[in-house]
Amino acid sequence: MIKLKSEVREEKNMYAKDKKKVTLGETISLEEFVAVARFGALVEFSDCYCQRVELSSQLVEKRIKEGKVMYGVNTGFGALSTELISPEKTAQLQRNILLSHATSVGEPQAVEVVRATMLMVLQNLGQGYSGVRVETLEMYRQFLNLHLTPFAPREGSVGYLCSEAHIALVLIGEGMAYVNGELLPAKEALHRVGMEPIVLSAKEGLALINGTTSPTGIGALALYDMLKAAKVADIIGSMTLEVLKGTTRAFDDRLMSVRPHEDQRNTAFNIRKMLSDSMIAKNSVDYRLQDALSLRAIPQLHGAAKKTLHDAWKTIEIEMNACCDNPILWPDEENGGAISGCNCDSSYVGIELDSACIAATAIAKMSERRNNRLINGQLSGYPSFLIQKAGLNSGLMIPQYTQAGLLNDMKILSHPATVDNIPTSADQEDYVAMGYNAAKKAREVTEKLEYVLSIELLSIYSAHQFVDSNLLPGSASRAVLTRIAQSVPKMEEDTYLYPHLQTLKEIIHSGEIIDCVEDTIGKLL
């Protein structure tokens, strides 16, 4: 059995941006998924991918000739599944489902989200249980490789169908698509990249919009960023502990060993490693008997959050390497046929991402409290709001307000989407998972977490101008501070802070801060 990358936690991470080509046909990792969706890695099909898709396509044709009744192939959809469709209307049925289901509204999805959804469609249907043709999937592969991005609004999905239908419309020359950033009618967009519309075959329209493709695609991007942000939070938390003269005794491995949660112990290891050569940390071991919880509980809170994210990672990787179509076509001669069920249910992804939102918000909650200790002169021992001539200058007073506003948003977004239920399709779908909304808000929560951490990082950077110059920070902290100094000047009086927050957020989002640290002291856990 192939091991998922999420199950091999000790192996070296391959950054998604470094992967230039991804071959579909075997298990792919979260990093490979993001390499395609975000960084434009080329997609190829393996021989086994094409073979199993072709065999499944032949099976549909065979079952139709045998007169078998198959949901979505020669029946209507949802509550209309009792309506039989004649063979000569098969192509029209598949066209109609795209036109009638493309009803999501509002602002368009980000390019990387549409790419992630298309990649998930390729993964879902490429398992060989969906009856689609290789040439249909080849169209999506070319969309990805030629950077043609269908227009798909982001609002109004309960888990699947609507956004996917907007994307699939482009295959038949309907809808709209972006080419080089220009939004064009679908036929013109196809012509720009040397392609022509196709006519869908039996079951293809249904298969293209079915399954957990958009929740998984959106969730994969969000989770990739959350996992990075959690490691960044260890780095930033360590640097705050250091500059606030916190004691490293709270991170002793003996303390961690008696409560043997792996992620808690790994977080404590990261902090010890970050501060192992810090003169400030060595000099501050006995500065206080015990620090505030936002400092001494970093392993416990970050560890609990990271466990949740790692659990979600495993679930997302299973989902992105699964068939979530309905019905599936089983090839066995005696017991084969179209098996209707509900692999298209998004509960696995939705519940994990609801939990991931809570985990990310917990990390942000602690970051805001650490930042408060940095800017509060009564707690930090530094000038109020980390600025000289406070009063004339407000310094870093107001970024903490921004944190408060972001954190309030994150708390609202941490309310689980998946506990809700609004029946659809004349009560044929009387339970709905709402995994799409869980994924959508996870993406928003992740971005807000990155901003919250960037504000704490700005305060750390500013606090260091008041540190005794005879006490050097650790080499990892120095590497980060040196990188920040390339883009952010020391603040001696009030200045326009927004550009600096954007810069720091990008350093976090890109993983550059992790690179700075790991290039200096080796890999963190």
Side-chain angles (χ1 to χ4, degrees), residues 212-229:
T212 65
T213 50
S214 56
T216 305
I218 298 168
L221 290 167
L223 187 60
Y224 180 78
D225 292 332
M226 281 185 183
L227 287 163
K228 285 203 313 295

Side-chain angles (χ1 to χ4, degrees), residues 52-355:
R52 66 197 187 205
V53 169
E54 183 60 34
L55 287 172
S56 183
S57 177
Q58 293 171 6
L59 186 61
V60 171
E61 295 175 11
K62 179 182 177 183
R63 300 300 185 196
I64 290 174
K65 289 177 182 176
E66 293 172 346
K68 301 287 186 182
V69 176
M70 294 178 285
Y71 172 74
V73 176
N74 45 23
T75 74
F77 309 108
L80 300 175
S81 60
T82 57
E83 301 293 328
L84 293 179
I85 308 299
S86 63
E88 60 270 18
K89 297 292 186 180
T90 297
Q92 183 180 344
L93 176 69
Q94 302 308 312
R95 177 183 176 85
N96 285 354
I97 191 174
L98 300 189
L99 293 168
S100 64
H101 284 53
T103 58
S104 56
V105 297
E107 293 298 313
Q109 300 275 23
V111 167
E112 65 178 29
V113 167
V114 177
R115 290 177 59 83
T117 303
M118 289 193 291
L119 179 57
M120 262 309 301
V121 171
L122 294 180
Q123 280 290 91
N124 176 31
L125 306 186
Q127 303 302 316
Y129 301 104
S130 297
V132 299
R133 297 167 298 165
V134 173
E135 51 263 44
T136 302
L137 300 185
E138 175 66 16
M139 289 278 284
Y140 268 11
R141 188 179 81 87
Q142 292 298 337
F143 285 7
L144 290 169
N145 290 347
L146 297 174
H147 298 278
L148 182 153
T149 305
F151 167 85
R154 70 188 295 266
E155 306 295 343
S157 175
V158 296
Y160 57 118
L161 301 177
C162 302
S163 185
E164 288 88 342
H166 276 285
I167 295 170
L169 277 176
V170 179
L171 294 172
I172 62 174
E174 300 288 348
M176 297 180 288
Y178 296 94
V179 178
N180 296 324
E182 185 180 359
L183 184 61
L184 302 167
K187 287 182 181 178
E188 185 177 345
L190 289 171
H191 290 160
R192 287 274 184 100
V193 297
M195 301 177 73
E196 294 291 335
I198 62 171
V199 176
L200 296 176
S201 183
K203 194 178 178 293
E204 288 187 330
L206 175 62
L208 287 164
I209 67 173
N210 220 346
T212 65
T213 50
S214 56
T216 305
I218 298 168
L221 290 167
L223 187 60
Y224 180 78
D225 292 332
M226 281 185 183
L227 287 163
K228 285 203 313 295
K231 184 179 280 191
V232 170
D234 285 359
I235 292 169
I236 291 175
S238 300
M239 294 177 70
T240 296
L241 179 80
E242 180 181 40
V243 79
L244 287 178
K245 302 177 184 177
T247 178
T248 54
R249 294 192 193 282
F251 312 101
D252 192 307
D253 192 53
R254 293 170 295 181
L255 180 63
M256 302 303 129
S257 70
V258 300
R259 194 191 190 199
H261 291 292
E262 180 184 5
D263 292 291
Q264 175 180 321
R265 199 168 192 177
N266 288 347
T267 301
F269 169 86
N270 288 346
I271 294 167
R272 293 196 307 272
K273 189 167 186 173
M274 279 284 300
L275 303 181
S276 61
D277 60 353
S278 168
M279 290 177 61
I280 299 173
K282 284 182 172 63
N283 194 62
S284 303
V285 167
D286 297 317
Y287 187 73
R288 298 184 194 91
L289 177 63
Q290 182 172 270
D291 290 306
L293 281 170
S294 60
L295 298 176
R296 78 174 191 267
I298 293 173
Q300 289 76 15
L301 185 282
H302 287 195
K306 286 192 282 186
K307 180 190 183 300
T308 297
L309 298 180
H310 286 133
D311 289 345
W313 179 11
K314 182 176 179 180
T315 297
I316 289 286
E317 282 200 344
I318 290 172
E319 195 74 6
M320 68 164 100
N321 289 286
C323 179
C324 52
D325 196 7
N326 179 51
I328 67 161
L329 300 173
W330 198 253
D332 184 90
E333 285 296 326
E334 293 184 8
N335 300 306
I339 305 174
S340 275
C342 204
N343 277 358
C344 53
D345 177 83
S346 59
S347 295
Y348 274 107
V349 171
I351 291 171
E352 292 288 6
L353 292 173
D354 274 338
S355 299

Side-chain angles (χ1 to χ4, degrees), residues 353-362 364-365 403-420 437-438 440-446 448-449 452:
L353 292 173
D354 274 338
S355 299
C357 287
I358 294 170
T361 300
K365 174 179 72 173
Q403 280 187 317
L406 291 166
L407 193 52
N408 182 250
D409 281 341
M410 294 174 76
K411 291 173 182 177
I412 294 168
L413 292 167
S414 290
H415 177 83
T418 51
V419 298
D420 190 25
N437 282 345
K440 187 176 66 172
K441 67 190 182 67
R443 188 168 162 84
E444 295 180 47
V445 164
T446 305
K448 293 175 192 297
L449 172 59
V452 168

Side-chain angles (χ1 to χ4, degrees), residues 243 245 280 382 462-473:
V243 79
K245 302 177 184 177
I280 299 173
Y382 299 125
S462 297
H464 270 281
Q465 66 183 304
F466 304 110
V467 173
D468 185 344
S469 59
N470 294 316
L471 293 176
L472 285 176

